[in-house]
Amino acid sequence: MIDDKRLEAEMDALALRFPGPGGVAGVVSEGQVVALRAWGFSDLDTRRAMTAGTRLPICSVSKQFTCAAMLAACGAPEALDGRLAAHLPNFEGPLPRVRDLCNNQSGLRDYWALTVLHGARAEQAFSRDDAASVFMRMRNGHFAPGTRYSYSNGNFRLVSDLLEAFSAETLEALYARHIWEPAGMAGAVLTADTRQPEDGVVGYEGNDATGYLPADNGIYWRGDAGISASLDDMIAYERWIDATRGDPDSLYRKIAVPQTFRDGTAAAYGFGLQHSRVGDVAFTGHSGALRGFRAYRAYSAEARLSVVVMFNHHGDAHGAAHRLLRTALGLPHPAPQPLGERWGGQWMSRETGLLARLEPGLDAATLRFGTSPESLSQTADGGLASSSVTVARAGEDLLMQRAQENYAERLAPVAPVPAAGDKRLAGRYRSAELEADIVIECRDGGTYLWAEGFLGTGRPEIVQPAGPDIWIVVTRRSMDAPAPGDWTLVAERDAAGHITDLTLGCWLARGIRYARCDDNT
């Protein structure tokens, strides 16, 4: 039984614990709303209040709607397999299956991360044709289809394009007929153009330390994101999911079926849903993010419990939702424990080509490897872990396991280098894969990199030395949110010591090779 007073106290604390312009949250138990809250403002300049009826972008939470509509219209993803090659005309390796797209197992690099390397700036417009141009230039993936998990928004953009061609209907019509109308989501709409948000809602970048500024978005997206819905709409969705939980033809029940990798290993992601546990209770859910907005929803058929949290700022919607779930389940909130030893160092992953860096703290260590920093706590066996990764020492090496990605590797240590620029890195390099360039400039003691491609000329990013012939390039802002984050740049030299080639990659887009195309040696 839910402790109503404790849950209400947790709801009351959301605005202070996750500060920002505004937000909404709701908890549904056994089909009934047991807690609901809206606070703050949907527009600070006009002082328009945030309400349960304010429609906000649910961003990547849209992916499950795309997969459900696909199953309703096609029966199975295999019905679309024969259409995929036309959208990837220059792809040279084995094509993924559409099921791989739905499960984020395609190996396709994330197209939002690639926009940075095609020369895009964060605020510029990005059209439907631009998306097609990114896919047209793809020649290979960063792993073989079905062998690993890697988040790729383009997977679901492709599914939506395939679905519309197969059904001869718009995505909006498919969403409405198969999900919004049966669920009673009367206000849900597809706002593919982020320049025109519903209800005049404004998303904000920044925080209490820097202040809050309106986010300027210009992207056009559909399938991977794009739905706008109010808290009332999302509560209706959660109640519909719960009411149809015993129906074998329920669309949510179908997309919630656990998936596997090609080797038979169980996968934690499938059909736009992440499978996770809170305590001993299984949940399916998803996060969503756009510059200025954050969202999270989850449902447990076992506990008949749902949560929805949406912010018009960059607060931790996932963290807020999990506090509400733990409260509703009567679980204590985890208490930080001091680290038994000081963890710190950096290691190279041979498989991904990415640098892993551990930064020690008092009660947690920060791992910089994926898109966002991950906080790891001490485990009983002396290692470190979060919900998605475990690390342990093996001599000087680092053992890293990311079970949700079907990935485990022994990483080699990388010695740090002095914080000094290497002028031999300067020059222009070209990627045949992307048909785009990067330019590196060394000046006044600093090193900077920018990209030039079919989307324009990007802003210079700071290049930081990390190890012998290894650098870190950090992208903090991009078209999508969160931004790609840390890129690892690795140089290859000829016998004379001249840099001839570079490999650039981040967690979302790995192993992109560039060849020097100037004579600056």
Side-chain angles (χ1 to χ4, degrees):
M1 179 177 294
I2 294 175
D3 183 334
D4 294 334
K5 289 185 177 180
R6 184 185 171 202
L7 183 57
E8 283 298 311
E10 196 67 50
M11 294 289 278
D12 288 339
L14 287 174
L16 292 177
R17 186 168 281 129
F18 303 93
V24 295
V27 178
V28 177
S29 176
E30 298 184 354
Q32 301 300 314
V33 179
V34 294
L36 187 143
R37 198 71 90 251
W39 66 93
F41 299 90
S42 65
D43 183 340
L44 292 174
D45 290 332
T46 64
R47 298 185 302 281
R48 185 188 299 117
M50 183 73 76
T51 73
T54 302
R55 288 175 290 186
L56 296 128
I58 66 171
C59 310
S60 289
V61 177
S62 305
K63 291 175 169 66
Q64 62 199 262
F65 290 78
T66 301
C67 291
M70 181 269 297
L71 291 181
C74 305
E78 286 71 25
L80 302 176
D81 281 346
R83 298 171 177 264
L84 182 58
H87 293 262
L88 298 167
N90 294 307
F91 206 78
E92 298 170 354
L95 280 172
R97 306 170 304 183
V98 174
R99 184 176 294 272
D100 296 326
L101 302 180
C102 296
N103 297 342
N104 270 333
Q105 296 179 22
S106 69
L108 299 179
R109 299 178 179 92
D110 179 66
Y111 78 141
W112 292 122
L114 292 179
T115 61
V116 174
L117 303 185
H118 285 300
R121 299 197 180 201
E123 298 83 6
Q124 76 183 61
F126 182 87
S127 70
R128 191 170 191 173
D129 288 340
D130 289 333
S133 293
V134 175
F135 295 132
M136 182 184 69
R137 286 169 167 79
M138 291 185 177
R139 298 175 186 270
N140 58 64
H142 53 194
F143 56 74
T147 62
R148 297 283 187 268
Y149 163 93
S150 182
Y151 199 82
S152 179
N153 289 282
N155 289 336
F156 300 88
R157 183 68 165 258
L158 287 167
V159 170
S160 70
D161 288 343
L162 297 169
L163 174 57
E164 287 187 324
F166 176 89
S167 66
E169 292 188 78
T170 65
L171 195 58
E172 297 96 315
L174 293 165
Y175 284 157
R177 184 168 73 257
H178 296 298
I179 306 166
W180 295 344
E181 292 172 5
M185 299 175 67
V189 290
L190 181 58
T191 46
D193 189 344
T194 59
R195 295 171 297 182
Q196 300 175 2
E198 292 299 311
D199 300 333
V201 67
V202 178
Y204 292 90
E205 294 186 88
N207 51 48
D208 277 359
T210 63
Y212 295 93
L213 297 174
D216 183 6
N217 292 300
I219 61 178
Y220 180 94
W221 55 4
R222 57 194 292 123
D224 53 339
I227 295 173
S228 289
S230 67
L231 178 61
D232 288 339
D233 293 323
M234 295 305 296
I235 291 295
Y237 179 59
E238 301 301 332
R239 296 183 69 183
W240 179 61
I241 289 170
D242 186 70
T244 59
R245 69 191 183 283
D247 181 358
D249 294 323
S250 158
L251 285 178
Y252 194 86
R253 182 167 167 173
K254 288 181 178 180
I255 63 173
V257 171
Q259 302 296 302
T260 62
F261 293 95
R262 297 282 178 89
D263 63 5
T265 303
Y269 190 99
F271 289 102
L273 289 173
Q274 184 77 43
H275 294 252
S276 62
R277 305 190 78 83
V278 179
D280 294 328
V281 181
F283 282 84
T284 51
H286 211 284
S287 295
L290 173 68
R291 280 191 294 113
F293 298 95
R294 295 292 188 269
Y296 184 80
R297 65 144 304 266
Y299 170 69
S300 170
E302 172 188 348
R304 296 188 61 192
L305 181 66
S306 287
V307 66
V308 178
V309 175
M310 297 188 287
F311 297 147
N312 64 335
H313 56 89
H314 290 180
D316 183 5
H318 177 275
H322 274 246
R323 286 192 67 92
L324 294 174
L325 288 177
R326 295 187 70 87
T327 299
L329 292 169
L331 300 173
H333 299 305
Q337 299 294 326
L339 294 182
E341 57 179 296
R342 300 285 290 180
W343 287 76
Q346 54 184 19
W347 297 262
M348 177 61 76
S349 161
R350 297 178 183 86
E351 177 177 322
T352 65
L354 304 181
L355 193 68
R357 293 173 291 161
L358 272 174
E359 300 170 354
L362 293 177
D363 53 25
T366 299
L367 173 65
R368 299 186 183 277
F369 181 73
T371 302
S372 302
E374 299 170 276
S375 180
L376 278 59
S377 301
Q378 194 87 38
T379 60
D381 60 4
L384 295 173
S386 70
S387 60
S388 59
V389 58
T390 61
V391 299
R393 284 204 177 96
E396 296 298 315
D397 294 348
L398 188 75
L399 302 178
M400 179 187 293
Q401 182 175 18
R402 307 178 77 90
Q404 296 178 2
E405 299 171 37
N406 202 28
Y407 162 85
E409 188 180 6
R410 183 169 183 144
L411 282 63
V414 173
V417 295
D422 186 341
K423 293 184 178 180
R424 292 173 294 180
L425 184 61
R428 178 177 291 270
Y429 302 81
R430 183 159 186 81
S431 167
E433 163 78 15
L434 302 183
E435 300 176 5
D437 294 358
I438 55 173
V439 179
I440 300 176
E441 184 175 296
C442 299
R443 50 179 294 189
D444 307 321
T447 304
Y448 309 90
L449 177 153
W450 64 88
E452 298 178 1
F454 85 96
L455 291 174
T457 299
R459 62 182 295 183
E461 303 285 10
I462 298 171
V463 180
Q464 304 168 344
D469 282 342
I470 302 171
W471 294 263
I472 292 293
V473 185
V474 181
T475 301
R476 291 288 182 232
R477 297 180 78 252
S478 68
M479 287 185 165
D480 192 25
D486 294 348
W487 302 82
T488 300
L489 183 69
V490 179
E492 295 179 19
R493 299 180 186 265
D494 62 18
H498 300 141
I499 295 175
T500 59
D501 298 276
L502 299 174
T503 301
L504 182 65
C506 65
W507 185 73
L508 294 170
R510 308 164 198 167
I512 302 167
R513 292 186 61 80
Y514 288 82
R516 184 183 284 278
C517 55
D518 60 21
D519 58 1
N520 186 10
T521 56

